[in-house]
Amino acid sequence: MSHAPGPIPAAPVPSFYGLSRPRLSERLAELGVPGYRADQLFTWIYRKRERSPQNMFNLPAALRGGLGAVCDLKLPATSVHRSADGTTHKFVLELADGARIESVSMSTVKRTTLCVSSQVGCALMCRFCATGLMGLQRNLRADEIVAQVVTMGDALGWEDDRFNIVFMGMGEPLANLSAVSEAIRILHDERGLNIGARRITVSTSGLVPQIGELGAMGLQVGLAVSLHATTDELRSQLMPVNKRWPLAELLDAAREYGETVGRRVTLEYTLLGGVNDSPEDADRLARFARALPSKVNIIPYNPVPGLAWQRPSAEAIEAFVARLQPHAPSVTVRSTMGGEIWAACGQLGGLSPD
Ligand code: SF4
C-alpha cells in the first residue's frame, strides 16, 4: 500500500444514508422528536422511495419543514451510461467534495447486481486494473456507500429491488472495513433496504488480517478473493499485495472465513492471455479450490487502454476451463458485460464511455 488515505471531509449535517436507525432515533431524540419517527423516515426513504420531506404526510409539519437540520437527504449528482443492449449501466457519481466514483449495475433475466465502490481510487496497484492506475485519493464514508446503492436504485426505477450487491467497484473494501461494515449494517436493516447477507459479497485482493476481522464481525456476507495467479512469483508481479500476504496465508484466511461463516468463498481468476492460462495454472487452481469451501469464477480479461495485457482467445479460455472444471468443485465463467462503456471488471478508473 503506497500511501494513507487523505482526510475524510466532514459534513456539518450528517447524511441520512450514513445513519443507522438507532443512531437516527438518537439524533431525533436530541432534538426533542420521538425516536419512532426514525422508523417512519426509514420507510419513506428506503421503502417508499420518497425523496421530498413535504410528501411524508404522516410526519408532523414541523419535522417535515425542519428535516434538513436533522439530516441531509441529498444524493450525489450522477451521470448514467447505458450499454447498447440495456443490461449494463455505469454510474459516475460526483461526491460533495468533487471526488468521482464509478459504480455499475448488471441485469440478467434472473437478477440485478450492483457493483459498488468503497474508495476513491485504490492504493493496491494491481497491474491489470484501471482503478489501480489512479492511486488512492480517499476512503468513502458509510453514507457515500449507501447513497451509491440508493442512487443506482432510483436511476433504475427499482425495477428489481431484490438485487445483489458486490463490493467489487473502485477500491479495496477491506482497506476501508469500518465504513464498509457500517454501510452493510444499514443496508441490512429490515425497515430499510433489507438486503440480506446472502445477497452481499465483499471482494478482496488479499488483506489477510482484515479477512479475519470481517469474519469476526458476524455479518455473514460472502467473500470473494481475487486470486489471479497460482504461484507467488507471478502473483507478486501482478498484485504487489502478495509480497506482504502470499498465497498460502491468503488461502488459509479464506478457508477460515468460509468455515466461520458457513459459505463457500469465491476465487476470482482473471484470465490473462499467455500469462496465467497454462494447463499447469489450471491444475494448481483446481488444487487450491479443492482445499477450501469454494467456487471458482473465471473472468476473461477486459482490456484497459495503456495496459499491455491481452484477453485470451475463445479457444484458450475454453481449454483452461475444460482442464479445470472436472477437478474443481464449481466453476463459472463470467460473461463480460459493459465492455463498450468501460464498465467491465478492472475498467473503472475514469475511462470515458463517450
Ligand atoms: S483490482 Fe481491486 S485492489 Fe487491485 S488495484 Fe484494482 S481496485 Fe485496487
Side-chain angles (χ1 to χ4, degrees), residues 119 121-133 168-173 204-205 226 228 239 346 348:
Q119 297 182 304
C122 183
L124 292 189
M125 298 192 301
C126 300
R127 301 284 181 243
F128 44 80
C129 170
T131 311
L133 295 175
M168 291 184 190
M170 289 178 153
E172 163 56 63
T204 182
S205 61
S226 298
H228 309 323
M239 305 175 73
L348 301 184

Side-chain angles (χ1 to χ4, degrees), residues 107-345:
S107 302
T108 63
V109 277
K110 280 206 210 134
R111 185 59 37 94
T112 294
T113 299
L114 304 182
C115 180
V116 172
S117 291
S118 55
Q119 297 182 304
V120 184
C122 183
L124 292 189
M125 298 192 301
C126 300
R127 301 284 181 243
F128 44 80
C129 170
T131 311
L133 295 175
M134 296 171 64
L136 177 64
Q137 293 175 22
R138 68 173 174 88
N139 280 333
L140 294 185
R141 298 187 308 263
D143 64 273
E144 292 171 322
I145 296 171
V146 175
Q148 264 179 89
V149 174
V150 174
T151 301
M152 285 192 274
D154 279 1
L156 297 170
W158 298 98
E159 270 174 31
D160 179 358
D161 65 357
R162 283 186 48 79
F163 41 74
N164 293 326
I165 291 187
V166 293
F167 282 88
M168 291 184 190
M170 289 178 153
E172 163 56 63
L174 294 189
N176 186 18
L177 183 53
S178 69
V180 166
S181 57
E182 215 179 309
I184 289 172
R185 289 200 173 93
I186 295 169
L187 295 169
H188 274 341
D189 192 313
E190 83 263 5
R191 300 294 285 260
L193 288 175
N194 193 20
I195 301 171
R198 297 256 146 210
R199 291 194 279 134
I200 298 180
T201 299
V202 172
S203 172
T204 182
S205 61
L207 302 190
V208 164
Q210 286 89 336
I211 293 175
E213 278 175 45
L214 180 69
M217 284 177 168
L219 292 173
Q220 309 278 310
V221 291
L223 179 73
V225 170
S226 298
L227 214 54
H228 309 323
T230 60
T231 64
D232 279 320
E233 194 191 352
L234 178 62
R235 194 163 189 274
S236 294
Q237 281 172 31
L238 296 175
M239 305 175 73
V241 66
N242 192 70
K243 293 180 197 154
R244 180 69 184 82
W245 290 292
L247 275 168
E249 283 184 45
L250 174 57
L251 290 165
D252 266 355
R255 184 179 41 72
E256 262 174 48
Y257 185 90
E259 288 168 0
T260 306
V261 171
R263 295 184 63 171
R264 288 193 292 175
V265 173
T266 305
L267 301 178
E268 305 278 1
Y269 195 86
T270 296
L271 218 47
L272 301 163
V275 175
N276 63 359
D277 59 349
S278 70
E280 295 74 28
D281 283 310
D283 294 345
R284 283 189 290 264
L285 182 54
R287 265 204 307 283
F288 294 163
R290 286 197 304 270
L292 60 152
S294 74
K295 47 192 172 179
V296 178
N297 191 16
I298 301 292
I299 309 160
Y301 181 66
N302 298 304
V304 172
L307 298 181
W309 312 103
Q310 302 292 328
R311 183 188 183 92
S313 65
E315 297 73 45
I317 297 169
E318 209 175 295
F320 188 87
V321 173
R323 177 114 182 173
L324 173 68
Q325 211 146 32
H327 305 291
S330 158
V331 179
T332 50
V333 180
R334 186 179 299 174
S335 57
T336 300
M337 299 177 82
E340 89 270 21
I341 53 169
W342 301 112
C345 285

Side-chain angles (χ1 to χ4, degrees), residues 91-106:
F91 301 81
V92 182
L93 283 74
E94 186 167 335
L95 306 177
D97 64 348
R100 284 172 176 223
I101 51 167
E102 295 171 14
S103 322
V104 179
S105 71
M106 292 151 289

